[in-house]
Amino acid sequence: MYSAVTLTLRHAPRSWTPGRAIGTVISGNKTSQQVRERLKRDVEKMGAQFPRFRPGLVVLQVGDREDSNLYISMKLKAAAQIGINANHIRLPKTATEAEVLRSIKAVNEDPAVHGLIVQLPLDSIHPIDTEKVTNAVAPGKDVDGLTSINAGKLARGDLGDCFIPCTPNGCMELIRQTGTSVAGKRAVVIGRSKIVGAPMHDLLLWSHATVTTCHSKTADLPAEVGRADILVVGAGKAEMVKGEWVKKGAVVIDCGINHIPDSSKASGKRVVGDVHYLSAKERAGFITPVPGGVGPMTVAMLMENTVESAKRFLQSYKPGKWNITYTNIKKETPVPSDTVISHSCSPKPITQLAKEIGLLSTEVDLYGESKAKVCLDVVKRLQKNPDGKYVIVTGITPTLLGEGKRTTALGLAQALGAHHNVNALACMRQPSPGPDFGIRGGVIGGGYSQAIPMEEVNLHLSGDIQAVLAASRLVANAVDARLFQESVLTDRALCDQLVPQDKDQRKFSPTQLRTLKRLGIDKTDPATLTEQEITRLVRLNIDPDASVWERGLDTNNQSQSLMETRLARMFNIAVASEIMAILALSSGMDDMQQRLEKMVVATNRSGEPITTEDLGVSRALAALLRDAIKPNLIQTLEGTPVFVHTNPFADIAHGNPSVLADKIALKLVGPEGFVVTEAGYGADIGAEKFFDIKCRTSGLQPQVAVLVATVCGLKLHGGGPTVLAGQPHPKEYKEENLPLLEKGCSHLKRQVQNCQAFGIPVVVAVNTFETDTEAELDLVCHAAKSAGAFDAVPCSPRAEGGAGAVELGEAVIRAAEEPTSLRFLYDAELPIVDKIRVVAMEMYGAKDVELLPEAKRKVELFTNRGYGSLPICMAKTPLSLSHDPEKKGVPASFVLPIQDIGVNVGAGYLYVLVNVELVFPREPEWPCFHDVDLDSGTSHEDCLL
């Protein structure tokens, strides 16, 4: 780029006399080659400073014009010689204006592209506004210099802050090569196009020439030309400027490209410029030939603009680092309520946050200004990017109020991002309406470490849970409908219903064709089916007394506890549904579809499983979940990105955020960044399921496990009195009590060992509160380190946000450098009972397990059906290492009773029921919905979260 200052001569001016005729040819080929060599050296320097970096150029073409193809090939060849990574995007002649604009938008947002050329003319069968299209190019990537913004800057003399159109820029370079000083000279420009004439006028003017622009209405054109010391012609008319018009000794720059008949040429035509070259050469001091003059320089200047754009990009480029802004929070003491804090902060527009972390606008679906869904296209785009560092946040066995895992996880993410200046993204489960309106209230962090907008996250967010609920009810309705149809219709009538006639013809649906193939019936015409084949196709013979599918509910229902066990099992909250577990474990749309097809939702009268595919409902389920599978993007109070996605119930499922959220996050943060994800309940439940189910499914390997503990929680495990929601804490938790705390630290040691069992370094985060004393915190940290923790750090994320977790962030960064070797607790091929025994003994400290009759029956049944090699998901009380919620600390010498076993074939695991009542939790006597209204939203002021 050349500013008014840099548009000085590169060589000492030659002695130049206006009446002196030299006729020296200015070679564009030679000059352009010199420019290319200089640019090649510049690109090599960039690569040396930033390995693997290359300037990027995209040429966007509509149609297939022969002349455009020739120009594009010249540009691509020049880019390759210099070291520019050039790509050609060709849209068909059928492309619409909207399609062209979408392509431009995608290139605008691609950080690997620094220059974008829209090849003109746009050869489409549809009308396209060329002005609108050229102005759609981002000014910072407009290396053709055609946008109104760049043209406006050039017109007002801001030459150092714009891109100059390539042909005028090339003309100026050729003039400089003559050694001619432009300042003070009389210049004439013929033509006023936006591409050549108008910008050429501006360039000469800001180089201090006296400029006249001539056009079709100019009177006495020969006289105007005859006064020009510098003549630039871009009229598009073959040889219109005659040699006798030219002032002797003038510099003549011919921008014309015209074809005239010439029988001596094989093509029957030859290329000439706008100036009669032979006669003008006799009078001009310097003149450009056609071809070989301005044309090569246009391409060279295009390359120069691209390299200049890349240089500008590198001025703010930090390899692997987001260009993200964080919010400074004004903290208050004492800490206000979560609702007050949430409402006191203004989140960044979600479009800004998405851009900051490297998402393209086409990869986010906006849900208002503060939340968005991330489209799965990003998975393919980033698939070759290296993963970041993976951190799981778990905890000790919690009190009824929790130990603050989410608050700590969000505080850690804020500390890593805003305070340690590394890319950091948190992945959280979406709160369920059950806890929101039940005992705990909203659960998405607390104090100054919470995700916002709080109310929207705690209520509907983007409707994922509602989609799961709708899918769950659809399955139940499909089962009911099939039961009714089979009870009242003959096989033939049922077949007519399932294969309806359309225009005097019946056709099998894709699902029915797959069913026929599975049944070994090789037919595609319904009319050819025999009576026996019709029966096999349409008659599922569902056993109404052995249905295994549970109807979905939004929230907990107290009345369920009054129902019979069999009837109660017919209902469940949405997050406990297998559909939610499938959503959380799926790696993409296809994987989700296949998992949904495998779901066993009923059995027939022979005891054989019936799937959603048998019912013909699996594709409809996938359609209902097409948006729910996309992770939700929100932010913390400090502006750190957060993915909130899925909530497989930690009691009956694995209790972790989605695989997709974690995978996308790991690609976005880059190899030096961190993804902080969470696991439900204590390490014996949430972390075990995270490793043995989620990591086994995803193939991801974490680098660090953060174990959250509180002094209050450890005192409870040391034998302290029960802590109840909404009631003041007993004095044991408000005053220093080292003996009680030391006794409870045995539980902390056990949970540290539980995490270490998977081969991952453990950092203990002691979530502190104002009642904790220094001696108590020292005791906990010492106990954690003596148990083998990599480090133990007090933190105060609720009261201080990211600043309260800086030391924790340092410990996590150091721990992430330690060598790891992820190992699962058991081999999935072990017999079902052996896998249960391993978890019970290694995680809970049980002496053995006891299978009750129903559990024994299920072991035999599922083994015979081929489900024996699935991993297991333990459904056990989260309030104790044992099956008894009243037993705190480290229970010993207990036998773990196994009441029942179920299978989620689609999700891919067996669930083992230690406590059957966990399948459907009850509400408290005074649930939180009494305190929810339009103004307050949901909250959890009495919680430790």
Side-chain angles (χ1 to χ4, degrees):
M1 303 306 301
Y2 303 99
S3 64
V5 176
T6 58
L7 275 172
T8 53
L9 298 178
R10 292 185 180 176
H11 311 289
R14 301 178 184 177
S15 175
W16 185 84
T17 304
R20 178 182 170 202
I22 301 174
T24 302
V25 177
I26 313 172
S27 172
N29 290 325
K30 180 179 178 181
T31 306
S32 67
Q33 188 58 40
Q34 293 171 351
V35 173
R36 293 181 189 184
E37 290 298 327
R38 171 170 53 81
L39 295 177
K40 184 177 180 180
R41 292 191 294 271
D42 288 347
V43 171
E44 289 173 349
K45 289 179 182 177
M46 293 180 193
Q49 184 178 2
F50 300 101
R52 296 185 298 277
F53 177 85
R54 291 176 65 189
L57 174 67
V58 166
V59 182
L60 179 64
Q61 178 187 13
V62 177
D64 193 29
R65 284 175 57 115
E66 184 177 347
D67 54 349
S68 292
N69 291 337
L70 176 62
Y71 298 146
I72 291 171
S73 66
M74 293 170 56
K75 295 168 184 176
L76 297 179
K77 181 179 179 181
Q81 291 175 348
I82 294 169
I84 295 172
N85 184 24
N87 290 298
H88 179 197
I89 298 176
R90 177 181 289 160
L91 300 180
K93 293 187 68 170
T94 56
T96 63
E97 181 178 275
E99 290 171 336
V100 175
L101 293 174
R102 279 198 296 270
S103 296
I104 291 173
K105 185 176 182 181
V107 177
N108 283 343
E109 296 177 349
D110 188 346
V113 177
H114 310 100
L116 169 58
I117 306 165
V118 178
Q119 184 67 40
L120 301 178
L122 300 168
D123 183 25
S124 174
I125 62 175
H126 300 290
I128 296 180
D129 186 338
T130 301
E131 185 77 5
K132 184 176 182 180
V133 166
T134 53
N135 277 315
V137 178
K141 296 187 178 185
D142 174 30
V143 291
D144 257 340
L146 300 182
T147 63
S148 297
I149 291 178
N150 278 320
K153 289 182 177 180
L154 174 59
R156 67 175 183 236
D158 295 337
L159 277 68
D161 189 34
C162 70
F163 286 113
I164 300 170
C166 301
T167 297
N169 205 0
C171 292
M172 292 301 298
E173 182 67 24
L174 291 172
I175 294 170
R176 278 190 291 273
Q177 291 298 317
T178 70
T180 300
S181 175
V182 177
K185 299 298 187 296
R186 183 180 293 276
V188 171
V189 177
I190 300 179
R192 51 185 173 180
S193 73
K194 297 178 181 179
I195 297 176
V196 180
M200 192 72 232
H201 172 279
D202 295 334
L203 275 174
L204 289 165
L205 180 66
W206 294 110
S207 297
H208 311 299
T210 301
V211 188
T212 300
T213 296
C214 298
H215 43 78
S216 60
K217 303 298 183 182
T218 299
D220 198 0
L221 181 61
E224 295 290 348
V225 172
R227 288 190 284 270
D229 302 322
I230 299 172
L231 176 64
V232 181
V233 187
K237 294 185 179 180
E239 299 181 332
M240 66 169 290
V241 175
K242 310 305 178 185
E244 57 268 24
W245 298 1
V246 177
K247 182 179 181 179
K248 286 188 177 181
V251 176
V252 179
I253 306 296
D254 189 351
C255 302
I257 297 289
N258 308 283
H259 293 87
I260 62 174
D262 188 338
S263 58
S264 67
K265 301 292 183 181
S267 63
K269 57 185 178 181
R270 63 186 171 92
V271 177
V272 297
D274 291 352
V275 178
H276 190 276
Y277 179 74
L278 293 178
S279 60
K281 187 172 182 292
E282 297 300 319
R283 297 179 61 82
F286 298 91
I287 189 169
T288 58
V290 177
V294 174
M297 289 305 300
T298 298
V299 176
M301 292 301 100
L302 174 62
M303 299 301 117
E304 180 161 80
N305 281 352
T306 302
V307 173
E308 174 63 22
S309 178
K311 288 179 179 178
R312 294 180 183 180
F313 173 80
L314 290 177
Q315 289 175 0
S316 59
Y317 174 64
K318 297 177 181 178
K321 292 290 183 67
W322 294 335
N323 186 15
I324 186 171
T325 57
Y326 294 103
T327 304
N328 292 321
I329 303 173
K330 184 179 179 181
K331 304 180 185 70
E332 298 181 23
T333 304
V335 179
S337 72
D338 294 344
T339 303
V340 170
I341 293 173
S342 175
H343 291 176
S344 69
C345 297
S346 298
K348 293 180 289 187
I350 202 66
T351 51
Q352 176 186 334
L353 179 63
K355 183 178 179 180
E356 288 175 341
I357 65 175
L359 289 169
L360 308 180
S361 64
T362 54
E363 293 169 344
V364 290
D365 292 336
L366 301 181
Y367 282 66
E369 296 184 355
S370 56
K371 56 186 178 181
K373 275 196 164 292
V374 179
C375 300
L376 302 191
D377 293 345
V378 69
V379 175
K380 183 177 181 181
R381 179 172 69 87
L382 301 179
Q383 61 183 347
K384 295 183 179 179
N385 288 16
D387 286 346
K389 297 176 174 62
Y390 198 22
V391 179
I392 173 182
V393 177
T394 183
I396 62 171
T397 296
T399 67
L400 287 172
L401 304 177
E403 301 305 302
K405 292 193 303 297
R406 287 184 176 178
T407 300
T408 303
L410 292 170
L412 172 60
Q414 291 184 147
L416 290 169
H419 302 273
H420 286 290
N421 195 31
V422 297
N423 298 345
L425 198 157
C427 292
M428 300 283 109
R429 291 173 295 154
Q430 180 181 350
S432 166
D436 286 356
F437 296 118
I439 187 172
R440 299 173 71 180
V443 278
I444 196 67
Y448 291 106
S449 292
Q450 60 174 300
I452 51 176
M454 183 184 74
E455 290 89 353
E456 296 181 45
V457 174
N458 286 325
L459 295 174
H460 300 291
L461 193 57
S462 58
D464 294 350
I465 292 178
Q466 286 73 18
V468 171
L469 182 64
S472 179
R473 287 174 172 170
L474 178 60
V475 172
N477 292 341
V479 172
D480 287 347
R482 195 57 170 265
L483 276 168
F484 174 75
Q485 290 169 339
E486 292 190 20
S487 69
V488 298
L489 297 176
T490 64
D491 292 352
R492 175 62 68 176
L494 186 56
C495 185
D496 290 344
Q497 290 282 346
L498 296 176
V499 190
Q501 186 168 301
D502 183 20
K503 296 179 180 179
D504 300 325
Q505 187 178 11
R506 296 184 187 274
K507 290 183 179 180
F508 291 125
S509 69
T511 297
Q512 290 164 346
L513 288 172
R514 289 191 295 272
T515 300
L516 288 168
K517 184 178 180 180
R518 190 169 65 253
L519 295 172
I521 303 173
D522 188 17
K523 293 182 179 180
T524 58
D525 184 359
T528 63
L529 291 180
T530 66
E531 293 298 324
Q532 183 181 14
E533 289 170 341
I534 289 175
T535 300
R536 294 178 63 198
L537 173 64
V538 303
R539 190 69 59 178
L540 295 180
N541 290 317
I542 299 173
D543 184 351
D545 295 323
S547 176
V548 298
W549 189 253
E550 298 158 345
R551 301 174 187 277
L553 295 175
D554 298 67
T555 56
N556 305 355
N557 189 335
Q558 183 79 16
S559 63
Q560 292 301 314
S561 63
L562 305 177
M563 295 182 180
E564 296 179 8
T565 302
R566 185 183 68 81
L567 184 58
R569 284 297 314 278
M570 293 173 63
F571 296 86
N572 213 335
I573 58 174
V575 294
S577 166
E578 182 182 0
I579 294 175
M580 179 62 82
I582 286 175
L583 203 64
L585 291 172
S586 296
S587 60
M589 287 285 192
D590 291 341
D591 185 35
M592 180 183 71
Q593 175 69 67
Q594 293 169 11
R595 289 173 178 272
L596 290 171
E597 291 173 2
K598 295 177 184 177
M599 282 201 309
V600 176
V601 297
T603 59
N604 63 22
R605 296 182 185 278
S606 300
E608 297 170 337
I610 295 173
T611 67
T612 58
E613 181 75 348
D614 295 325
L615 284 169
V617 74
S618 62
R619 301 295 164 124
L621 296 177
L624 281 172
L625 299 171
R626 58 178 296 181
D627 290 325
I629 195 174
K630 303 172 186 175
N632 303 289
L633 173 65
I634 57 171
Q635 61 192 287
T636 68
L637 295 170
E638 295 184 13
T640 303
V642 180
F643 282 160
V644 177
H645 197 217
T646 73
N647 186 3
F649 206 31
D651 294 296
I652 192 69
H654 58 289
N656 308 132
S658 75
V659 167
L660 270 171
D662 288 0
K663 282 191 170 184
I664 294 173
L666 286 166
K667 295 297 183 184
L668 287 172
V669 300
E672 301 304 316
F674 284 81
V675 171
V676 180
T677 193
E678 63 156 334
Y681 295 139
D684 57 308
I685 297 178
E688 186 273 319
K689 295 176 183 179
F690 171 83
F691 290 113
D692 282 327
I693 296 177
K694 185 177 179 180
C695 290
R696 199 188 295 265
T697 300
S698 69
L700 299 174
Q701 176 170 320
Q703 279 71 43
V704 184
V706 173
L707 181 69
V708 180
T710 60
V711 169
C712 175
L714 291 175
K715 285 180 177 179
L716 180 70
H717 284 290
T722 302
V723 179
L724 298 176
Q727 297 184 12
H729 291 184
K731 65 183 181 67
E732 286 86 350
Y733 303 109
K734 297 179 181 179
E735 302 172 356
E736 183 177 287
N737 191 327
L738 296 180
L740 184 64
L741 178 61
E742 184 173 16
K743 186 178 178 182
C745 281
S746 62
H747 177 83
L748 173 64
K749 294 178 181 179
R750 177 74 200 199
Q751 294 287 36
V752 169
Q753 293 165 0
N754 282 344
C755 291
Q756 289 176 320
F758 299 96
I760 306 298
V762 182
V763 174
V764 172
V766 187
N767 189 15
T768 63
F769 295 87
E770 58 184 9
T771 55
D772 300 339
T773 68
E774 186 174 346
E776 288 176 327
L777 296 176
D778 288 344
L779 174 60
V780 175
C781 291
H782 176 75
K785 292 176 184 178
S786 66
F790 176 86
D791 203 350
V793 180
C795 58
S796 52
R798 184 177 185 276
E800 300 182 75
V806 170
E807 189 178 351
L808 175 61
E810 292 175 354
V812 168
I813 291 172
R814 287 187 288 106
E817 300 301 321
E818 291 290 299
T820 60
S821 179
L822 175 64
R823 55 180 178 266
F824 302 123
L825 203 61
Y826 53 82
D827 183 342
E829 297 299 325
L830 283 175
I832 296 173
V833 176
D834 290 350
K835 286 183 283 194
I836 295 172
R837 183 173 287 111
V838 168
V839 174
M841 297 176 69
E842 296 295 325
M843 287 288 105
Y844 314 149
K847 182 174 65 175
D848 201 352
V849 297
E850 178 188 7
L851 271 66
L852 301 182
E854 182 62 17
K856 290 180 179 179
R857 188 182 73 82
K858 293 292 183 62
V859 167
E860 182 179 359
L861 174 65
F862 294 149
T863 301
N864 292 337
R865 286 185 177 174
Y867 304 147
S869 60
L870 294 177
I872 59 170
C873 182
M874 303 291 285
K876 178 187 74 70
T877 177
L879 301 178
S880 171
L881 286 172
S882 74
H883 57 286
D884 184 352
E886 300 302 319
K887 291 184 177 180
K888 306 301 181 183
V890 185
S893 300
F894 65 93
V895 175
L896 191 73
I898 308 300
Q899 299 189 36
D900 199 356
I901 300 175
V903 62
N904 285 339
V905 183
Y909 58 77
L910 298 160
Y911 55 91
V912 180
L913 299 175
V914 178
N915 303 83
V916 173
E917 64 272 13
L918 291 175
V919 176
F920 200 99
R922 294 178 57 180
E923 287 178 352
E925 297 302 323
W926 187 261
C928 285
F929 61 68
H930 291 286
D931 302 315
V932 176
D933 59 35
L934 284 174
D935 295 326
S936 66
T938 59
S939 184
H940 48 83
E941 309 309 335
D942 296 321
C943 299
L944 294 177
L945 290 171

